[in-house]
Structure formats: structure tokens, C-alpha cells
């Protein structure tokens, strides 16, 4: 892992993108790592585009400002690809993870990424509908991000997702989410 | 070692209050502080603390209730932000002048108008002259650690003063960061049992609070308040030493970062200090001797210690996340005052050139590029460039 990994999430209000950033931070906490997770604060409206950020480092994180040069960009809602430039400021070797049913090669072409940048896709919404019964793409996105970044093992990510649900949710919801993480991890493809 | 967790600044501070197990918590919610009192109310409901909760109908009432409870006897906490602190204003003076050690996290937020919920220091700076001790915190860990230490400081027998623990709204209060908690028992032992001094509920020994004092003794009373403030620095340092033994984390009156051999320096508080430290490192890598001073104790202000830490520099920029319209930024006024008193050995002392930047008002992002701009300007001033504008704004659109 690079000294500090900076990541940006693009989602829409109500999809749980901020929660996903938090779960990732929790999952990365082990092994003495420093973590940050924070959204860009604005009017909070369901469906409105939002950004959230993660920093993960072996060193103490002192920077307290939005991430402007992310190494990883997670796009939880593919409709945002037409609404904004999700590649803005991304590093030359950035990873993009897009929730879409489209072919990763087509997405790569449409996004006009730089040669050193890599594009991954996962049909997180379909996985979520299959496994949870609702279009909540967090869990498969987390699985996919765990896989491509190598930040945490699948087992550890599963543990964290389970923990994040606590005691408030039914066994069925929790099991569905765990399956969704697992499928996200296994079904992410590179374009 | 305590538990390591990824939590928001608000959650960290709420846990410090839980571990202190106060007798009374008066509260009125306001963004971005709400999360603290909301969590605290759930600790009360869940029986995790023995605290009596007072839901007030305004912050003025919340502070009034805290004053009443504290005078009655017992450990008292509350928390607020922005307009809430502004509404408490007259009661803040009464809490401090009555020597009531109320502990109050202040989640720093801009003041209206225009209405803005985001982080800046206008609220805390406005409370500068209220007689409260103020501790400022860079991140969630410091906000937690300062809250724990605040009980020992405010309740110290030589002081008995209220303490405000400040952290940046949203940037720290709502962001998730890694922090290391102390164990509940460690905190309990560290801050100790609350010791009452002249409690109203000691009915065997009746006493009165809030007397009328006119021209005969008012001025003596006020001078005494200043004298008590003069004892704060020692208590803060003693408590910090004990806290270091407990936690391994060092605190002082302020933090010096790569300042000893520096030629240019920045004075900056709270979350922006962290961002600036990374830029200090980058300038050091380029061979420019940059350093940083981060005040922690803002009231009382450690003038001589800070002057000693800055006086060897060629140029200093004081960063203010609050403004005094028609005046310099509040921190700049303190640093200027501190450095003016530096006299040296009589052979003519070259004091640092001073500039003042207003930044980050109403939660405007403070980015590393802004710190780079400041250090670049300081480097030029240190090499002889004239100071063009003493006070200026950065990160602002033209």
C-alpha cells in the first residue's frame, strides 16, 4: 500500500454512500492504520449528487480537507457519469470502480481515462436486488473495492459489514448483505 | 492502551462526558453540537451515567440551569455551538465570575448573518473575554483528550473556573477518524471525585451567590478574576503531565512543530494546523526552514511562552478563522501583543515581520495550497520583500 491512500466516493443522497465510507474506514482500522471518512457537507437531499472521502494511512493523518487527487474513485450511481467529471483530479494511476451493468471496456472508452488509469465495473445494484431485495449497492461496492485495492481481506470486510449492521437488522438482511459483499468481490471486472 | 475506534469528533467528546459521569447535564441542541447532547441523552436513558438531564428551552436557559446546578453542588456539563454560545453570553460571565467549573464542549461554527452552519472560530473568539478557560483541539483525539483534562483543570482548587473545549464544526465534529480511548476506569481515576466548594445545598452552612457589589469592591473582584486566570497555565501543564503518564500523549500550552530552527512560521489553531503541518514538511523537503505554532490554551493566553517560541523567526503569519471587521484577526492581536513585549538584550532585537490571513470563514475549505501560498509569501518576506498588506484574506473569490 502507498503511504496514504486517498479515495473519493460519488453517490446520490439516500444510497448510503456515506455509510459505505464509514464501513471502509472501520475495516481499514486494523493493523494500527489511521483512517478518515467524511462526506462533503451540503444540503442533504435524497437523490442529489454527493461526495464522500476516505484517507487510509500507516502514518498519522493530519490533513483535514477534501481529497482532491484520489487514487481510488468509487461511483455508486452510474448516472453520475453523465452529470459530472468523476475523473477530476484523479491520480495518473487511479482506479475507478463503477456500479453499472455495462461492459467495463465500453465504460472505459466512455470515461476517456488516461492510459495509466484502470476502470473496473461491478453490477452492484443487480447484486443488491438479488441478495437484499433492495437497490442498496453499498455492500457489493465494498466487496469490489476490497478486491481491487487489497486494503482488506474478504473475510475481514465480511466481519466489518456484519458488525456495521449490529443488532437492529434481521438475520435475512445481514446474510443478504454478506452475500452481496462476497459477490461484489468476485464479480468485479476490469475494462 | 484503551480501545481504538474510528469515530466522529462528536462521538469522541460525548464519550469523554460519559466517562466523567457528571451530576447534571443541561442541554439545548444546535448544529453541529447536537450529536453530542443526543448521544449523552441516550447514555442517560440507558443508565450508563448517573446524570440528571435538563432539557432547556434555549441556550440562555441551558447555561442558567448549568450555573444553578453547579452552585447547588456537583459536576455539571453542557455543550453548544455558534448562536447558542452567543445566546448564552451574559450567563457565561456569571459562570466564570461565580467560580463554577462547568465543562462545555464548543463545536465551533460560524455566526449569523448570513445563516451558516459550518465551522469557523467566530463563536469561540467572541467568548474571549467571558472569563472562561479555552482549550482548542486539532482533531477528534485532541478534543477527547482536552475534554478529559478540562475536568481536572476547571475543578482544580486553585481555579474553580468553567472550561470551553473547542473543536471545528463538521471538519472534526462530523468526520470519522481513528482515536484511542482511555478506559472508563482510567478516566474516572484521572479526574477523581467531584469536590464541592461552597455548595448551596449544604443547608447547614447557608451562603449567598450573586451579590451586588458596587464601586466599593467591584474592581477588586475583577482584578481577582485576572489573578486566578494567572494560575491556569501551571494547572494546565501539571494536568498535561499527569495525562501524559496515563496516555502517552503530550500536551502543553501550545504545540511547536519544527519551530526551533525555523526561519518562517505560521500560527494556526485547530484542524487547519494539521493540514498546515503536512505543508511545513513539504517546505522543509525543499530546504525552506518552515515551522508552525498551534495554540491550545487561548484563554488565558500564554504571551511570554509564545513570544519566546516565535521571537527568533524572520517572518510569521498568524492565521485567523474569525474576523474583527475593521480590525485585525483576534489571534493576530494576541501574537502582536506578545511579540511587542520582547525586549532582548538591549543590542537591538529584530522581531519577526508579522502578517495576518483570514481563512476558512463559514466552513470554506482550507486546502494545502493556501498554506503553500502563505509559506511562499513568508519566505519572500524573510528574504527582504516588503510586507504589502498586513491583513488579507485567502481562499476568497475576487
Amino acid at each position: 500500500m502507498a503511504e496514504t491512500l486517498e479515495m473519493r466516493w460519488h453517490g446520490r443522497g439516500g444510497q448510503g454512500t456515506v455509510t459505505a465510507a464509514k464501513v471502509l474506514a472501520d475495516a481499514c482500522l486494523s493493523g494500527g492504520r489511521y483512517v478518515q471518512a467524511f462526506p462533503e457537507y451540503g444540503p442533504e437531499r435524497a437523490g442529489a449528487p454527493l461526495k464522500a472521502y476516505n484517507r487510509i494511512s500507516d502514518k498519522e493523518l493530519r490533513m483535514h480537507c477534501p481529497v482532491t487527487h484520489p487514487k481510488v474513485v468509487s461511483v455508486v450511481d452510474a448516472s453520475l457519469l453523465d452529470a459530472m467529471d468523476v475523473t477530476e483530479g484523479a491520480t495518473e494511476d487511479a482506479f475507478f470502480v463503477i456500479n453499472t451493468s455495462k461492459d467495463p471496456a465500453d465504460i472505459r472508452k466512455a470515461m476517456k481515462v488516461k492510459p495509466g488509469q484502470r476502470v473496473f465495473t461491478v453490477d452492484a445494484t443487480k447484486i443488491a436486488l438479488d441478495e437484499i431485495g433492495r437497490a442498496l449497492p453499498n455492500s457489493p461496492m465494498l466487496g469490489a473495492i476490497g478486491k481491487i485495492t487489497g486494503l482488506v481481506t474478504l473475510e475481514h470486510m465480511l466481519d466489518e459489514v456484519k458488525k456495521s449492521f449490529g443488532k437492529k437488522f434481521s438475520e435475512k438482511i445481514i446474510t443478504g448483505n454478506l452475500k452481496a459483499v462476497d459477490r461484489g468481490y468476485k464479480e468485479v471486472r476490469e475494462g | 492502551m484503551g480501545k481504538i475506534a474510528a469515530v466522529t469528533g462528536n462521538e469522541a467528546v460525548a464519550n469523554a462526558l460519559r466517562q466523567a459521569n457528571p451530576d447534571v447535564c443541561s442541554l439545548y441542541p444546535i448544529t453541529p453540537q447536537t450529536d453530542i447532547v443526543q448521544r449523552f441523552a441516550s447514555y442517560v436513558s440507558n443508565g450508563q451515567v448517573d446524570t440528571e438531564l435538563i432539557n432547556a428551552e434555549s441556550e440562555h436557559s441551558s447555561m442558567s440551569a448549568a450555573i444553578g446546578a453547579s452552585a447547588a453542588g456537583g459536576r455539571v456539563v453542557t455543550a453548544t455551538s455558534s448562536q447558542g454560545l452567543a445566546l448564552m453570553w451574559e450567563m457565561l460571565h456569571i459562570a466564570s465570575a461565580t467560580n463554577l467549573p462547568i465543562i462545555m464542549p464548543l463545536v465551533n461554527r460560524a455566526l449569523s448573518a448570513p445563516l451558516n452552519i459550518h465551522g469557523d472560530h467566530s463563536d469561540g473568539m467572541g467568548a474571549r473575554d467571558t472569563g472562561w478557560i479555552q482549550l482548542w483541539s486539532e482533531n477528534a483525539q485532541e478534543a477527547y483528550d482536552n475534554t478529559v483534562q478540562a475536568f481536572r483543570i476547571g475543578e482544580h482548587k486553585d481555579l474553580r473556573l468553567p472550561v470551553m473545549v473547542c473543536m471545528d464544526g463538521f471538519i472534526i465534529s462530523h468526520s470519522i477518524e481513528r482515536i484511542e480511548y482511555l478506559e472508563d476506569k482510567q478516566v474516572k481515576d484521572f479526574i477523581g471525585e467531584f469536590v464541592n466548594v461552597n455548595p448551596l445545598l449544604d443547608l447547614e452552612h447557608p451562603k449567598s451567590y450573586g451579590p451586588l457589589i458596587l464601586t466599593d469592591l467591584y474592581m477588586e473582584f475583577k482584578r481577582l478574576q485576572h489573578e486566578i486566570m494567572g494560575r491556569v497555565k501551571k494547572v494546565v501543564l501539571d494536568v498535561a503531565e499527569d495525562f501524559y503518564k496515563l496516555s502517552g500523549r503530550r500536551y502543553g500550552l501550545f504545540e511547536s512543530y519544527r519551530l526551533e530552527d525555523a526561519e518562517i512560521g505560521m500560527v494556526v489553531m485547530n484542524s487547519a494546523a494539521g493540514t498546515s503541518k503536512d505543508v511545513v514538511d513539504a517546505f522543509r523537503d525543499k530546504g525552506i526552514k518552515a515551522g508552525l505554532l498551534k495554540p491550545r490554551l487561548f484563554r488565558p493566553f500564554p504571551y511570554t511562552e509564545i513570544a519566546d517560541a516565535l521571537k527568533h523567526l524572520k517572518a510569521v503569519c498568524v492565521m485567523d478563522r474569525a474576523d474583527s471587521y475593521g480590525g485585525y484577526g483576534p489571534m493576530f492581536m494576541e501574537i502582536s501583543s506578545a511579540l511587542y513585549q520582547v525586549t532582548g538584550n538591549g543590542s537591538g532585537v529584530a522581531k519577526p515581520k508579522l502578517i495576518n490571513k483570514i481563512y476558512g470563514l463559514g466552513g470554506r475549505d482550507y486546502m494545502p495550497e493556501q498554506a503553500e501560498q502563505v509559506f511562499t509569501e513568508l519566505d519572500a518576506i524573510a528574504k527582504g520583500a516588503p510586507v504589502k498588506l498586513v491583513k488579507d484574506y485567502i481562499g476568497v473569490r475576487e
Side-chain angles (χ1 to χ4, degrees):
Chain A
M1 189 178 100
E3 212 165 57
T4 300
L5 186 130
E6 295 190 306
M7 174 162 172
R8 182 171 69 209
W9 297 77
H10 294 275
R12 289 188 182 275
Q15 286 179 320
T17 304
V18 180
T19 307
K22 181 182 169 12
V23 175
L24 183 67
D26 274 328
C28 292
L29 197 58
S30 62
R33 280 190 286 195
Y34 290 82
V35 298
Q36 287 181 345
F38 54 102
E40 192 168 83
Y41 296 99
E44 288 162 24
R45 294 160 298 169
L50 66 80
K51 290 178 206 166
Y53 307 97
N54 279 120
R55 285 195 182 92
I56 293 142
S57 181
D58 294 328
K59 284 197 315 180
E60 184 188 355
L61 288 164
R62 303 183 298 197
M63 200 65 85
H64 283 107
C65 58
V67 170
T68 46
H69 301 293
K71 158 83 182 174
V72 180
V73 177
S74 167
V75 182
V76 183
D77 191 307
S79 70
L80 292 168
L81 293 176
D82 303 323
M84 61 180 62
D85 179 12
V86 300
T87 66
E88 190 189 354
T91 59
E92 298 289 321
D93 58 351
F95 292 177
F96 297 91
V97 191
I98 320 289
N99 169 20
T100 178
S101 58
K102 290 185 184 154
D103 186 78
D106 294 344
I107 291 285
R108 183 183 173 90
K109 215 169 146 192
M111 284 178 66
K112 301 189 180 75
V113 295
K114 294 172 187 165
Q117 296 178 327
R118 299 171 68 181
V119 175
F120 301 85
T121 65
V122 59
D123 196 353
T125 302
K126 177 165 190 305
I127 296 173
L129 285 170
D130 287 352
E131 304 297 343
I132 312 162
R134 286 179 66 191
L136 296 171
N138 274 350
S139 292
M141 288 303 283
L142 283 167
I145 288 158
K147 172 79 179 290
I148 64 155
T149 61
L151 278 170
V152 282
T153 63
L154 177 61
E155 290 70 29
H156 192 71
M157 186 70 92
L158 290 170
D159 278 351
E160 282 303 326
V161 169
K162 196 171 179 182
K163 250 198 289 176
S164 75
F165 280 97
K167 292 166 189 161
K168 284 185 289 186
F169 294 88
S170 70
E171 193 60 36
K172 194 178 149 206
I173 293 281
I174 295 172
T175 315
N177 273 282
L178 296 180
K179 275 191 195 155
V181 173
D182 186 61
R183 281 187 58 189
Y185 189 93
K186 286 170 182 155
E187 294 177 24
V188 62
R189 291 185 299 154
E190 182 163 9
Chain B
M1 188 195 274
K3 189 181 153 211
I4 288 172
V7 295
T8 64
N10 275 345
E11 184 172 352
V13 166
N15 263 306
L17 297 181
R18 178 186 59 74
Q19 291 176 316
N21 193 19
D23 296 297
V24 174
C25 171
S26 58
L27 60 91
Y28 189 82
I30 181 169
T31 303
Q33 154 269 27
T34 303
D35 193 31
I36 295 178
V37 293
Q38 185 179 326
R39 285 175 188 277
F40 195 83
S42 73
Y43 301 146
V44 174
S45 305
N46 297 340
Q48 291 166 277
V49 287
D50 308 313
T51 311
E52 184 168 336
L53 206 64
I54 304 173
N55 278 297
E57 78 277 21
S58 76
E59 286 89 353
H60 189 283
S61 303
S62 174
M63 183 47 63
S64 301
I67 288 167
S70 185
R75 182 173 279 154
V76 179
V77 303
T78 182
T80 196
S81 290
S82 180
Q83 305 305 118
L85 186 74
L87 188 55
M88 286 178 180
W89 198 75
E90 62 166 329
M91 303 316 292
L92 294 175
H93 291 258
I94 292 170
S96 58
T98 314
N99 287 99
L100 301 173
I102 297 161
I103 304 304
M104 179 167 70
L106 174 69
V107 186
N108 298 114
R109 161 185 156 180
L111 287 170
S112 295
L115 177 61
N116 181 307
I117 58 167
H118 291 280
D120 79 24
H121 302 164
S122 310
D123 51 5
M125 287 295 150
R128 182 189 69 183
D129 300 335
T130 58
W132 283 58
I133 296 169
Q134 287 190 348
L135 297 172
W136 294 71
S137 325
E138 178 180 325
N139 49 35
Q141 183 74 63
E142 290 193 8
Y144 171 80
D145 291 348
N146 280 338
T147 306
V148 171
Q149 291 174 72
F151 288 93
R152 275 276 299 274
I153 296 166
E155 293 172 7
H156 193 283
K157 63 177 171 44
D158 294 344
L159 308 182
R160 305 301 285 189
L161 285 173
V163 187
M164 231 174 258
V165 178
C166 305
M167 68 167 154
D168 285 348
F170 288 100
I171 302 166
I172 300 304
S173 69
H174 283 60
S175 293
I176 290 163
E177 285 190 301
R178 173 194 193 274
I179 88 147
E180 194 180 314
Y181 283 121
L182 296 164
E183 304 288 350
D184 289 359
K185 180 160 185 332
Q186 286 180 306
V187 174
K188 188 169 184 256
D189 294 345
F190 180 78
I191 67 174
E193 285 290 311
F194 184 79
V195 179
N196 267 311
V197 176
N198 298 324
L200 278 175
L201 287 180
D202 176 10
L203 302 178
E204 301 294 310
H205 304 91
K207 53 201 64 87
S208 62
Y209 272 79
L212 175 76
I213 302 182
L214 297 177
T215 48
D216 53 349
L217 282 170
Y218 183 85
M219 198 158 158
E220 285 70 20
F221 190 101
K222 290 290 136 182
R223 184 182 60 185
L224 186 59
Q225 273 187 267
H226 181 69
E227 283 172 14
I228 294 172
M229 272 294 206
R231 305 172 195 157
V232 173
K233 284 189 292 193
K234 182 180 184 308
V235 174
V236 167
L237 290 174
D238 288 348
V239 171
E241 185 59 30
D242 286 352
F243 191 81
Y244 169 69
K245 287 177 194 151
L246 177 69
S247 68
R249 295 189 288 277
R250 276 215 186 274
Y251 287 89
L253 305 175
F254 53 87
E255 179 188 343
S256 286
Y257 185 73
R258 306 189 80 164
L259 206 54
E260 291 69 21
D261 67 335
E263 291 177 352
I264 57 174
M266 177 189 274
V267 177
V268 60
M269 277 204 305
N270 278 23
S271 64
T275 306
S276 304
K277 284 181 207 166
D278 279 7
V279 176
V280 166
D281 288 357
F283 272 67
R284 286 278 178 166
D285 291 345
K286 288 195 281 186
I288 297 169
K289 289 186 172 174
L292 180 149
L293 187 143
K294 180 185 75 179
R296 171 181 182 234
L297 181 68
F298 185 73
R299 271 296 175 275
F301 196 81
Y303 292 98
T304 50
E305 293 84 351
I306 286 186
D308 279 346
L310 293 175
K311 66 184 180 190
H312 65 287
L313 298 172
K314 290 179 178 161
V316 172
C317 179
V318 182
M319 305 289 288
D320 270 293
R321 202 166 201 153
D323 205 353
S324 176
Y325 325 107
Y328 292 123
M331 182 65 81
F332 183 84
M333 297 183 205
E334 302 298 355
I335 301 296
S336 292
S337 302
L339 285 171
Y340 190 80
Q341 300 300 331
V342 173
T343 51
N345 53 16
S347 60
V349 178
K351 290 175 190 170
K353 295 270 194 310
L354 272 187
I355 55 170
N356 184 200
K357 301 289 185 202
I358 308 294
Y359 74 99
L361 299 182
R364 172 66 52 88
D365 286 329
Y366 175 71
M367 305 302 289
E369 291 75 16
Q370 291 170 28
E372 285 164 16
Q373 182 194 325
V374 167
F375 281 116
T376 302
E377 185 178 341
L378 286 176
D379 188 41
I381 292 170
K383 288 176 177 144
V387 171
K388 287 188 206 120
L389 208 50
V390 176
K391 175 188 172 183
D392 202 358
Y393 294 75
I394 55 169
V396 65
R397 283 194 289 271
E398 292 307 326

